[in-house]
Amino acid sequence: MIEVAGSKSDGAKPGAGEAGALVAEVEALGERLHRVRQAVGRVIFGQEEVVEHTLITLLSGGHALLVGVPGLGKTKLVETLGTVLGLDARRVQFTPDLMPADIIGSEVLEEGEGGRRAFRFLPGPVFCQLLMADEINRASPRTQSALLQSMQEHRVAVAGQVHPLPGPFHVLATQNPIEQEGTYPLPEAQLDRFLLEVEITYPDEAAERAMLLATTGAQDARPMPALTAAELISAQALIRRIPVGEGVLDAILRLVRGARPETSSLPGIGKQLAWGPGPRAAQALMLATRARAVLDGRLAPSVEDVLALAAPVLRHRMALNFSARAEGVAVADVIETLKAQLG
């Protein structure tokens, strides 16, 4: 059952009939999402938190950056989600010689009847509903930035013409650790477009054992559709109607503003940061906490949701200065300090 918690802070308080309808809608969505998680779990083993964070991103209408060494199932996860959610999914393998036109498309000159010539736009793979940008940091910054407009505005401009992208549109990008050879760090503006940065680590022994038994037999497990694109769009609209209590709103503001060197109330934190998250981080937390609450069977988010999502929302939106790095301080340490002040 859905638990109603917290007072509404983002608009007028709903009436009894409206609240009852909202509860019914969220309960129905919760049942569908349970089927989605079961369908993904048949293929992806031992990455429950990764799956949860990725689903939170999609329910929030955002994009996710999946970070981890090769071979941990990042590509498999994106392919599985495309099938389970009923989305038109495409993949771009980012390489050093990849050009922006290889992603967004280009115009070609064609000769028609009577020798008349005209330009025709050939859409690139970005014209889909779920784009997997595989190993995005292996391409040059120029190519990486080709996704900026599409991720923010859901459209691309080529030769002065604007071409809208289909809805819903999501980018799930995989990134190798920047310490590996042949990688280009993503620019800060691009990082800020990702709702969450999801870290993928090695599975535990039990999960790896189950994975070996399921993937090396005569038949490999295949994902089955559990949702449609239209249902996902409806779910995203419903997430934005979830009430948020004043306590949660205050926690989000304290966390995000505390991560900025100019506004941090903790002097030690302010001296360690070179730059911090902007308002987009607070927006991401507002949406992501709602989505996490629904996945967990609750109508309204709590401060616990803010604490759970603080790291994936903040760690790619802030940077330490030289003195902090020289002292061995990590971004994760700063985030834990910020979370501690919330209780």
Side-chain angles (χ1 to χ4, degrees):
M1 290 293 293
I2 299 295
E3 300 173 6
V4 181
S7 59
K8 190 171 183 179
S9 64
D10 52 344
K13 187 175 180 180
E18 182 183 349
L22 180 61
V23 169
E25 289 183 60
V26 174
E27 286 182 339
L29 175 59
E31 293 177 359
R32 293 197 296 270
L33 293 177
H34 179 68
R35 294 196 297 268
V36 168
R37 299 182 79 163
Q38 284 184 325
V40 175
R42 296 189 187 99
V43 182
I44 305 298
F45 299 89
Q47 300 288 0
E48 288 80 8
E49 185 177 77
V50 172
V51 172
E52 178 187 80
H53 286 174
T54 309
L55 288 176
I56 286 172
T57 300
L58 297 178
L59 289 170
S60 303
H63 315 285
L65 183 63
L66 310 177
V67 181
V69 298
L72 295 183
K74 300 186 296 295
T75 303
K76 187 69 172 178
L77 172 62
V78 180
E79 292 175 349
T80 301
L81 286 171
T83 300
V84 172
L85 299 177
L87 301 177
D88 174 22
R90 299 185 186 179
R91 172 182 177 181
V92 176
Q93 182 66 48
F94 279 64
T95 57
D97 60 345
L98 191 72
M99 300 299 292
D102 297 326
I103 303 173
I104 63 176
S106 60
E107 288 197 328
V108 296
L109 184 62
E110 291 185 333
E111 185 172 338
E113 297 181 1
R116 184 178 180 180
R117 296 180 178 181
F119 283 99
R120 182 168 69 92
F121 176 66
L122 294 180
V126 74
F127 285 85
C128 64
Q129 294 174 318
L130 182 65
L131 178 67
M132 180 172 65
D134 207 4
E135 297 186 303
I136 188 173
N137 59 332
R138 291 208 181 279
S140 66
R142 176 188 178 188
T143 302
Q144 293 171 2
S145 63
L147 287 175
L148 278 173
Q149 184 182 22
S150 58
M151 292 174 67
Q152 182 64 27
E153 303 175 17
H154 292 190
R155 61 182 182 175
V156 297
V158 178
Q161 297 294 320
V162 176
H163 305 274
L165 298 176
F169 174 73
H170 301 280
V171 175
L172 296 182
T174 69
Q175 174 177 275
N176 294 323
I178 60 174
E179 295 81 7
Q180 290 193 347
E181 294 292 334
T183 60
Y184 299 84
L186 293 175
E188 290 82 0
Q190 179 119 23
L191 287 171
D192 198 30
R193 261 62 175 190
F194 289 103
L195 188 96
L196 299 184
E197 180 189 286
V198 183
E199 288 188 349
I200 302 181
T201 58
Y202 293 103
D204 58 32
E205 183 177 350
E208 196 161 4
R209 180 186 296 271
M211 183 194 311
L212 290 175
L213 294 174
T215 59
T216 60
Q219 292 185 340
D220 199 359
R222 296 184 179 275
M224 299 297 293
L227 209 66
T228 65
E231 289 175 332
L232 178 59
I233 293 176
S234 298
Q236 292 169 351
L238 179 59
I239 291 296
R240 290 177 172 268
R241 293 166 52 200
I242 301 297
V244 178
E246 289 291 345
V248 175
L249 180 59
D250 291 341
I252 291 173
L253 289 172
R254 288 177 59 192
L255 186 68
V256 174
R257 295 182 64 82
R260 300 170 185 162
E262 300 84 0
T263 59
S264 179
S265 60
L266 302 175
I269 297 296
K271 294 179 180 179
Q272 294 174 334
L273 296 173
W275 51 271
R280 193 177 282 121
Q283 293 171 331
L285 269 172
M286 280 284 285
L287 290 172
T289 54
R290 288 165 162 155
R292 187 175 188 269
V294 172
L295 280 173
D296 196 34
R298 290 174 285 116
L299 179 60
S302 65
V303 176
E304 180 185 349
D305 297 313
V306 178
L307 296 174
L309 294 168
V313 168
L314 295 179
R315 59 187 164 218
H316 61 295
R317 290 186 167 99
M318 52 196 298
L320 302 174
N321 55 34
F322 176 78
S323 60
R325 295 196 303 270
E327 295 174 0
V329 179
V331 171
D333 301 326
V334 176
I335 294 176
E336 288 301 319
T337 302
L338 292 170
K339 289 168 59 177
Q341 71 168 334
L342 298 182

